[in-house]
Amino acid sequence: MHASRLSRRAVLAGTAAAAALTTVSPLQGRAHAAGVTAATSSYRWRNAVIGGTGFITGVLFHPAVRGLAYARTDIGGAYRWDERAARWTPLTDHLGWDDWNLLGVESLAVDPAHPDRLYLALGTYAQAWAGNGAVLRSEDRGATWTRTDLTVKLGGNEDGRGAGERLLVDPRDSGTLWLGTRHDGLLKSSDRGATWAVASGFPATASASGQGVTFLAAVGRAVYAGWGDGDGTATAVNLYRTTDGTTWEPVPGQPTGTSAKVPIRAAHDRHTRELYVTYADAPGPNGQSAGSVHKLATATDTWTDVTPVQPGGSDTFGYGGVDVDACRAGTVVVSTNNRWADGDTVFRSTDGGRTWASLKDVAVFDVSETPFLDWGEDRPKFGWWIQALALDPYDSKHLVYGTGATLYGTRDLRRWAPRIRGLEEAAVRRLISPSVGEAHLISGLGDIGVMYHERLTASPSRGMATNPVFGSATGLAQAAAKPAYVVRAGWGDHGNGAYSHDGGRTWAPFTAQPDIAKNAPGPIATSADGGTLLWSFVHWDGTKYAAHRSTDNGATWSEVSSFPKGATPVADPADPTLFYAYDTDTGTLHASTDSGRSFTARAGGLPSGDDQFQLAAAPGRSGDLWLSVKWNGLYRSTDGGVTFAKVASCWASYTLGFGKAADGADYPAVYQVGSTETITAVYRSDDAAGTWVRINDDAHQWGWIGEVITGDPRVYGRVYLGTNGRGIQYGEPV
């Protein structure tokens, strides 16, 4: 996934864990005394359906069980395919707040001899601020897990995440597992993943580039390992093998040069005893400009170049996925990757790579189930970032491939449709639940812009908000007293701001925008009556710029020099002349009483130093402000930010929102992701934060969930929660 999907790393950096055998347990948080003990409430949690929206990095059919398959994602966990229900079942939602770094799946493996066994290698980032990786192993296809923490880091959302698989059950012994790492060579387990050690005899160890072992492939009783740190020269080695599980050697005669610098994936044709390997000049999914496909006759160590199309000129790309037909000798499929000029495709050969046909040339797509995938002619229809590619071993015409947004499948090699039900990977940035109108939810997402959800159980019929189309959304706001008026901001090629007069169904771009908007679009707010817009600007690298104001629906803009740079503007929901902003650099609340023309400091001495502190205004009230300052707690002001008092009922608050009040209550329901005791979880309060009930459970935690939460103003108890890779979760009391 794009860089916009990085988790809040400075806040959530995990600690290095020693190699140890543990069982999966409830989310553990910081031990801290709390003034109020939180009760629990039974909730049903589901995804608000969009359909994919993230990078599918791997798909694996089980070779011995018809209809059994698994998928991995870069930040959204792993899934199992339910053939009877024709949908994916999430397998890692139990991973909680402290385990946020484990939602990126580096690799997965199945045991051909034991169909119920499943292994996952987890770890999103290999940076110093991220925690170490872990291996989960299951005896029931992912229904329950046992966990081993590693002493090394993995990188499920780093360059090379579409390579693999890096995890493998040894073909000679089901008790032996291999794990290729990015920086620490090859690991081996002799007790089915319970403990791990560096594999002795493997010739390549430390890796500076962060690629290391790119894949492991079983070829008969041998194991082959791709090595991604070669320089492409004639003496470089990028493929090793062992035939006895102890001694490793370079594979002789292997291809070299720029187009074969990094081995990406491999697939073995057991009928012909040939190993197909895809290569590129970079690990991908971005940055590839050259690539090739070669096959190795493993009996004779003879290599043959079988590249379908040579990259060159303006048509630059690498090769990514590869798989062979288990039923038909010599039938193989490969995918291009990062091919923007002519568009990516999947090539298929039935004669061992001597001739190829591009499946894109005859493809017919039906994206009616997920309309956001219909981008017209602006992007290649076949998809991009194609590195996950899998052939059903029981059906030669059942082929699936992953993209940066979905998973496509076909049963006849011609007609394609998303095979994505149940798999939701959106990184959610903004949520609005309107008080009136058809939709109960409008969402602002990373990479996939803004969506209008007429129903929560089907992908939005209008797809992404257009006019203009955004990549990632940075701002989304609704006029409290004029709910038909909605504004949005984000990264786009044809404008960075837009407004709607029909509650978000249709949009029009601002007729003008500040120059800085193109390179640093940030959060946006609208006054309660929709008459004033305040737009803040923050570059993706963290640089902050002066906010701008418009009173003519975005036709003209003026700089507001007294607004704290980079702050998120918050409109008072009852008084259209009032705006607020929290300066996280100084810990000061600023307010405007002249419709955003000028801001002055009010309360100071509040927690500072974190740009992700959040300010929220309670609906229907003027000057009722709530300030979530993460592990510094929760503060409230009832005088428009002149003074704040710390809320005693919780010691940590990461994001907060409001919904319909409980029957008989005189204050909106308050929802938050925070901590009242030792658990960082999702909570609801029906008495203005006097007491809280936990409304998620240990099976529904979703890693990092501190970005956005909001209740439904029309349905008591319903809450919408943004995750960083598991889409929009919504819960309702049961």
Side-chain angles (χ1 to χ4, degrees), residues 455-478:
R455 293 189 292 159
L456 300 176
T457 56
S459 187
S461 65
R462 295 176 174 273
M464 287 191 295
T466 57
N467 196 23
V469 169
F470 291 163
S472 292
T474 60
L476 184 62
Q478 185 175 41

Side-chain angles (χ1 to χ4, degrees), residues 258-274:
T258 300
S259 64
K261 182 179 178 181
V262 181
I264 305 298
R265 286 180 173 267
H268 177 232
D269 188 332
R270 60 183 177 85
H271 300 287
T272 64
R273 301 173 65 188
E274 294 172 324

Side-chain angles (χ1 to χ4, degrees), residues 651-672:
W651 65 268
S653 180
Y654 298 91
T655 184
L656 181 141
F658 305 92
K660 184 179 181 180
D663 289 344
D666 59 359
Y667 198 84
V670 184
Y671 299 90
Q672 73 158 337

